[in-house]
């Protein structure tokens, strides 16, 4: 069974090819579109096959001894090259395979990606039911996204991981900009694509450094080389620190950490199933997975680990504060995602890799549920997303209300639910591994999370109705194809946390299962489990108390005494405006980068008009004067000499205009071709 893991990403790829290829052929040949049942059966069926095979492979992995739970399958030999000289002075035969690795870490990821992804696909059948023109295109893109994400988490080397990494970036562009006639959607898609390229550039440099030092990009060989060349953590900044930092910058872009977080809230312009797919279990967790996968490198770069922890907890605090005053229901959830990703990176940075992955898993359940639940609300209100125009929906949408309520309590850290266990583990590891300040900020963020999430619930489902008459007359619960996935995710949001019980309640099965996946565990990881249970219980009570305070404050200000919230808003109007407007980060980026780029464009345009055109006109005048003085009578010869420069520029512009189409997809293709050419030249030169 384990030899068939290559089929897991193959099934979604086939779904993409069938829906995309058949849809294009049918539209071109007959002018009609594929029938919707055919499209969603192919799309959902392919993901279901991947999920079933993932479950089978996971079960087969459990049957092996822990030390044997790292299985690799080479599909084909991808890139060959001559022996290369590494920094260590050794010759290494350069070879990269298209291969997959199944171990406890990738097993958890494929179950999360395929499981949550399948439920989102099923939900999308109902959500996208009114779509006509792009129905087959939407599901084709969703399948392609799943193929790329599964390739990313199953890859056995950095280069194949990067293929999936770039693939999910491309698919996110296609899905965020799905509404092609909506300018805001197109702008958000381009913003996501460009911001991610910043991180990806650092990722590429990091990979080249890995290859330069270790002569390979294969995980097993690289991590073995790290252990041999760097038996102890680097005391000063050396190659491992720079490699780790460059990889982390790549993760900052993909997983929306400061300062590259600005793309993710705008990604809400895509359909709600896309928001759930990107924000819950797939794309945004890729950076967390990559850092955890590279634990052998990070364990020997303590300075970078500290940077990871600081960036993570600062991102968690910043995003949580912005979420406090957002009015768009999906933007509240978007900033919540940024904040929770910060929690995961904080866990990785303090040496709690298993806790970070545990929170990734539980977060997938309750965040997917929250996004899909918000989609149910939006559909019921005819695509209204402003919470100020909602209220009192509990009686109209009972199933959506209670499932979203479960997810809200889970992310708020209410004891007994999944979010409580994973968040508590991160906070405890932060404190016990010697980072009390990170613990303090984490507890503060936990209280803020409880407040803004309960605010969302109260504004949406409780209090008086603020619906327009035409909307109120048509509000109804979503169909079963949308609500059944909500119920299944709600079950996960309750029980998934019991896989990682705190030490004072029982064994942490999840952490024990993940141990073989890490070539070298992070410094201090696992060393604090023998600390006094009383301390851990006391810290847990503190975090629960703050979460309870956040819930009560939300109830007080948005149900019991709503006038108090308005009074505070008016009293601190300036501060409220700054936080509501997201600290003007987007405006600062526009001033520093976007407007400077526009200014450069205007300068080049002026240069073209005044200098290039001026040179042509000047040469024409000089040539005419020279011809007149020399007494030449053939005016045609003079004209040809005069227009030579113009003809050259016209020819060059005709050629280059065909390249500069403005299509980001085509630029991405050129980007990939450039990478291949650089690698080919690198191999040809034998360096």
């Amino acid at each position: 069974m384990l030899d068939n893991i290559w089929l897991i990403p193959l099934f979604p790829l086939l779904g993409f090819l069938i829906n995309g290829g058949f849809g294009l052929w049918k539209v071109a040949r007959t002018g009609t579109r594929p029938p919707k049942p055919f499209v969603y059966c192919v799309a959902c069926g392919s993901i279901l096959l991947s999920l079933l095979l993932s479950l089978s492979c996971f079960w087969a992995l459990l049957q092996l001894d822990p030390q044997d739970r790292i299985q690799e399958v080479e599909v084909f030999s991808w890139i060959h090259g001559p022996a290369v000289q590494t920094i260590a002075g050794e010759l290494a035969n350069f070879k990269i395979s298209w291969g997959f690795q199944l171990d406890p870490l990738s097993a958890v990821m494929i179950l999360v990606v395929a499981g949550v992804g399948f439920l989102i696909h099923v939900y999308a059948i109902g959500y996208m039911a009114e779509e006509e023109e792009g129905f087959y295109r939407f599901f084709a893109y969703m399948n392609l996204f799943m193929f790329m994400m599964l390739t990313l988490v199953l890859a056995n080397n950095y280069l194949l991981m990067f293929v999936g990494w770039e693939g999910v970036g491309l698919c996110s562009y296609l899905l965020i900009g799905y509404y092609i006639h909506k300018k805001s959607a197109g702008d958000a898609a381009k913003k996501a694509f460009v911001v991610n390229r910043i991180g990806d550039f650092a990722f590429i440099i990091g990979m080249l450094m890995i290859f330069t030092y270790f002569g390979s990009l294969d995980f097993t060989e690289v991590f073995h080389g790290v252990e041999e060349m760097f038996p102890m953590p680097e005391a000063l900044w050396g190659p491992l620190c720079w490699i780790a930092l460059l990889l982390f910058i790549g993760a900052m872009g993909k997983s929306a950490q400061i300062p590259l977080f600005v793309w993710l809230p705008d990604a809400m312009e895509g359909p709600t199933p896309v928001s759930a797919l990107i924000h819950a279990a797939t794309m945004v967790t890729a950076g967390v997975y990559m850092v955890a996968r590279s634990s052998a490198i990070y364990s020997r770069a303590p300075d970078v680990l500290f940077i990871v922890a600081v960036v993570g907890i600062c991102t968690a605090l910043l995003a949580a504060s912005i979420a406090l005053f957002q009015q768009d229901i999906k933007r509240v959830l978007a900033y919540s995602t940024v904040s929770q990703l910060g929690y995961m990176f904080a866990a990785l940075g303090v040496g709690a890799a298993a806790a970070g992955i545990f929170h990734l898993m539980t977060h997938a359940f309750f965040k997917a549920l929250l996004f899909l639940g918000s989609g149910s609300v939006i559909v019921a209100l005819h695509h209204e997303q402003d919470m100020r125009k909602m209220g009192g929906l509990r009686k109209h949408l009972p199933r959506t209300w209670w499932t979203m309520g479960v997810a809200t309590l889970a992310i708020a850290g209410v004891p007994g639910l999944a979010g409580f266990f994973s968040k508590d583990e991160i906070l405890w590891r932060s404190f016990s591994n010697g980072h009390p300040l990170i613990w303090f900020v984490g507890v503060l963020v936990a209280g803020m999370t409880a407040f803004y999430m309960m605010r969302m619930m109260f504004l949406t489902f409780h209090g008086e109705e603020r619906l327009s008459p035409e909307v109120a007359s048509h509000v109804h619960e979503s169909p079963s194809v949308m609500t059944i996935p909500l119920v299944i995710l709600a079950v996960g949001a309750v029980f998934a946390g019991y896989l990682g019980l705190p030490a004072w309640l029982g064994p942490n099965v999840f952490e024990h299962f993940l141990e073989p996946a890490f070539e070298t565990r992070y410094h201090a990881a696992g060393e604090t489990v023998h600390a006094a249970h009383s301390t851990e219980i006391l810290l847990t009570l503190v975090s629960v108390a703050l979460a309870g305070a956040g819930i009560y404050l939300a109830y007080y200000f948005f149900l019991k005494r709503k006038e108090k919230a308005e009074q505070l808003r008016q009293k601190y109007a300036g501060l409220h405006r700054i936080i509501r407007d997201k600290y003007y980060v987007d405006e600062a980026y526009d001033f520093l980068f976007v407007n400077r780029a526009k200014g450069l464009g205007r300068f080049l345009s002026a240069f073209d008009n005044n200098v290039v055109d001026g040179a042509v006109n000047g040469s024409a005048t000089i040539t005419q004067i020279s011809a007149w003085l020399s007494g030449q009578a053939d005016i045609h010869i003079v004209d040809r000499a005069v227009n030579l420069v113009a003809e050259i520029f016209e020819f060059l512009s005709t050629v280059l205009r065909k390249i500069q189409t403005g299509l980001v997809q085509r630029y991405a293709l050129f980007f990939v071709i450039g990478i291949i050419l650089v690698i080919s030249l690198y191999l040809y030169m034998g360096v």
Side-chain angles (χ1 to χ4, degrees):
M1 180 58 67
L2 294 176
D3 293 336
N4 296 322
I5 58 175
W6 59 276
L7 291 172
I8 295 175
L10 179 64
F11 289 132
L13 177 62
L14 293 177
F16 162 72
L17 294 175
I18 293 172
N19 272 336
F22 177 64
L24 290 174
W25 175 85
K26 191 169 178 61
V27 170
R29 189 70 179 270
T30 66
T32 60
R33 301 175 185 86
K36 289 184 179 180
F38 172 84
V39 171
Y40 63 67
C41 284
V42 169
C44 297
S46 64
I47 306 303
L48 178 60
L49 290 175
S50 288
L51 174 59
L52 294 176
L53 185 56
S54 298
L55 290 168
S56 299
C57 291
F58 178 78
W59 178 254
L61 197 69
L62 287 177
Q63 308 311 306
L64 302 176
D65 293 331
Q67 64 271 18
D68 297 327
R69 289 178 181 170
I70 300 179
Q71 302 291 316
E72 293 192 44
V73 174
E74 181 178 328
V75 181
F76 58 86
S77 183
W78 184 16
I79 300 175
H80 286 280
V84 294
Q85 189 79 24
T86 67
I87 294 294
E90 300 178 354
L91 286 175
N93 291 322
F94 180 62
K95 175 187 174 184
I96 295 180
S97 64
W98 191 283
F100 299 108
Q101 175 177 299
L102 186 70
D103 63 2
L105 179 57
S106 57
V108 169
M109 292 301 297
I110 61 174
L111 288 180
V112 170
V113 172
V116 176
F118 172 69
L119 294 175
I120 293 173
H121 274 70
V122 173
Y123 174 94
I125 297 173
Y127 189 90
M128 304 297 291
E130 297 180 1
E131 287 291 318
E132 295 295 338
E133 181 179 350
F135 191 82
Y136 79 92
R137 176 167 55 90
F138 173 82
F139 277 99
Y141 290 163
M142 293 275 280
N143 274 182
L144 182 61
F145 190 106
M146 294 292 291
F147 162 70
M148 292 298 183
M149 189 65 198
L150 290 169
T151 299
L152 189 158
V153 299
L154 282 172
N156 69 347
N157 61 79
Y158 279 104
L159 190 58
L160 183 56
M161 173 190 279
F162 189 70
V163 170
W165 188 277
E166 287 296 285
V168 295
L170 173 62
C171 293
S172 68
Y173 167 79
L174 297 172
L175 288 167
I176 295 169
Y178 169 77
Y179 297 119
I180 57 178
H181 301 297
K182 188 178 179 183
K183 184 180 183 301
S184 59
D187 291 342
K190 287 181 284 188
K191 185 176 183 179
F193 194 87
V194 171
V195 172
N196 273 274
R197 297 294 72 73
I198 299 171
D200 296 349
F201 179 71
F203 195 143
I204 292 172
I205 299 175
M207 284 197 300
L208 291 175
M209 286 191 66
I210 290 173
F211 176 73
T212 301
Y213 274 88
F214 305 108
S216 176
L217 293 174
D218 183 84
F219 292 146
T220 302
E221 295 180 11
V222 170
F223 298 155
H224 181 69
V226 169
E227 293 178 352
E228 288 189 344
M229 292 176 60
F230 303 91
M232 297 296 293
E234 289 184 326
L236 301 174
W237 274 76
L240 277 189
C241 283
W242 286 110
I243 290 172
L245 181 62
L246 288 166
L247 294 180
F248 177 58
I249 293 173
M252 288 164 62
K254 196 66 68 182
S255 296
Q257 298 297 286
I258 293 173
L260 302 179
F261 70 97
V262 292
W263 68 269
L264 193 144
D266 288 355
M268 296 298 97
E269 293 292 339
T272 298
V274 173
S275 303
L277 194 64
I278 291 176
H279 292 69
T282 52
M283 177 177 169
V284 294
T285 60
V288 178
Y289 168 78
M290 184 270 289
V291 173
R293 172 60 72 196
S294 305
S295 59
I297 296 174
Y298 283 90
S299 64
R300 290 165 170 79
D303 291 342
V304 179
L305 271 183
F306 180 72
I307 293 174
V308 172
V310 171
V311 170
I313 203 64
C314 289
T315 302
L317 179 62
L318 178 74
S321 65
I322 295 175
L324 292 173
F325 304 125
Q326 296 301 302
Q327 303 296 346
D328 186 307
I329 187 172
K330 287 177 66 175
R331 285 191 174 266
V332 173
L333 298 178
Y335 282 106
S336 170
T337 298
V338 176
S339 181
Q340 297 305 305
L341 288 167
Y343 255 110
M344 297 173 203
F345 278 109
L348 297 174
V350 301
I357 299 299
F358 184 35
H359 194 56
L360 183 155
M361 185 266 291
T362 60
H363 176 264
F365 285 105
F366 52 71
K367 185 52 62 67
L369 174 52
L370 286 166
F371 270 110
L372 298 185
S374 71
S376 179
V377 172
I378 292 168
V379 168
L381 301 184
H382 301 282
H383 298 277
E384 177 59 65
Q385 297 182 196
D386 192 334
M387 294 185 296
R388 292 170 295 185
K389 300 178 182 179
M390 299 180 186
L393 293 178
R394 174 182 175 181
K395 59 180 177 292
H396 299 292
L397 311 173
R399 189 176 293 183
T400 300
W401 167 74
W402 77 259
T403 52
M404 283 191 71
V406 169
T408 299
L409 295 176
I411 196 174
V414 171
L417 303 180
F420 163 76
F421 294 106
S422 58
K423 194 175 294 186
D424 180 67
E425 185 69 13
I426 292 174
L427 294 173
W428 166 241
R429 292 292 184 179
S430 299
F431 185 88
S432 59
N433 286 359
H435 299 279
L437 183 59
I438 290 178
W439 169 84
F440 175 78
V441 177
V443 170
L444 179 63
V445 172
M448 296 167 66
T449 302
F451 175 82
Y452 68 69
M453 290 304 301
M454 292 307 299
R455 167 182 176 266
M456 180 197 74
M457 286 296 294
F458 292 143
L459 289 177
T460 303
F461 293 100
H462 299 269
E464 74 280 2
E465 289 188 6
R466 298 179 296 277
L467 311 177
S468 62
E470 60 273 15
V471 170
S473 61
H474 296 92
V475 176
H476 58 84
E477 183 63 275
S478 299
S480 296
V481 72
M482 295 174 63
T483 56
I484 290 177
L486 301 184
V487 174
I488 297 173
L489 289 169
V491 174
V494 174
F495 295 106
Y498 290 90
L499 295 173
L501 295 175
W504 54 276
L505 280 181
N508 193 321
V509 177
F510 191 85
E511 181 178 358
H512 180 70
F513 173 71
L514 283 179
E515 283 181 359
F518 301 111
E519 295 284 345
T520 302
R521 276 178 279 177
Y522 287 113
H523 69 287
E527 295 177 1
T528 58
V529 294
H530 301 296
H533 292 333
S534 58
T535 303
E536 185 175 359
I537 294 173
L538 177 61
L539 296 178
T540 300
L541 292 175
V542 171
S543 64
V544 170
L546 273 180
I551 294 173
Y552 174 77
L553 287 176
Y555 165 77
Y556 180 80
F557 284 120
F558 298 102
L559 277 187
K560 186 177 181 181
R561 300 288 300 275
K562 289 180 289 185
E563 72 279 1
K564 290 291 185 180
E566 181 61 23
Q567 291 172 5
L568 284 176
R569 188 190 68 79
Q570 294 178 359
K571 183 177 181 180
Y572 301 100
L575 179 62
H576 176 271
R577 183 167 53 254
I578 291 173
I579 299 176
R580 182 200 62 196
D581 294 338
K582 303 161 288 186
Y583 299 102
Y584 304 106
V585 173
D586 283 305
E587 289 78 4
Y589 285 1
D590 285 342
F591 176 77
L592 294 173
F593 304 111
V594 177
N595 293 338
R596 302 289 76 77
K598 291 179 179 178
L600 178 61
R602 287 191 292 268
F603 169 77
L604 294 176
S605 176
F607 179 85
D608 178 70
N609 293 330
N610 299 321
V611 179
V612 176
D613 290 352
V616 173
N617 295 331
S619 66
T621 303
I622 294 172
T623 304
Q624 288 173 343
I625 293 173
S626 300
W628 180 76
L629 291 174
S630 63
Q632 292 200 23
D634 191 348
I635 191 64
H636 299 292
I637 296 176
V638 177
D639 288 341
R640 294 199 55 160
V642 169
N643 293 324
L644 178 60
V645 176
E647 290 175 356
I648 292 173
F649 277 98
E650 182 181 8
F651 171 76
L652 293 175
S653 66
T654 302
V655 175
L656 295 176
R657 189 163 56 240
K658 296 179 180 179
I659 299 175
Q660 302 294 334
T661 61
L663 297 175
V664 180
Q665 303 98 311
R666 185 167 296 178
Y667 297 159
L669 175 62
F670 294 154
F671 183 74
V672 173
I673 292 173
I675 294 175
I676 295 173
L677 291 176
V678 170
I679 294 175
S680 300
L681 179 62
Y682 194 84
L683 296 176
Y684 175 76
M685 296 176 63
V687 296

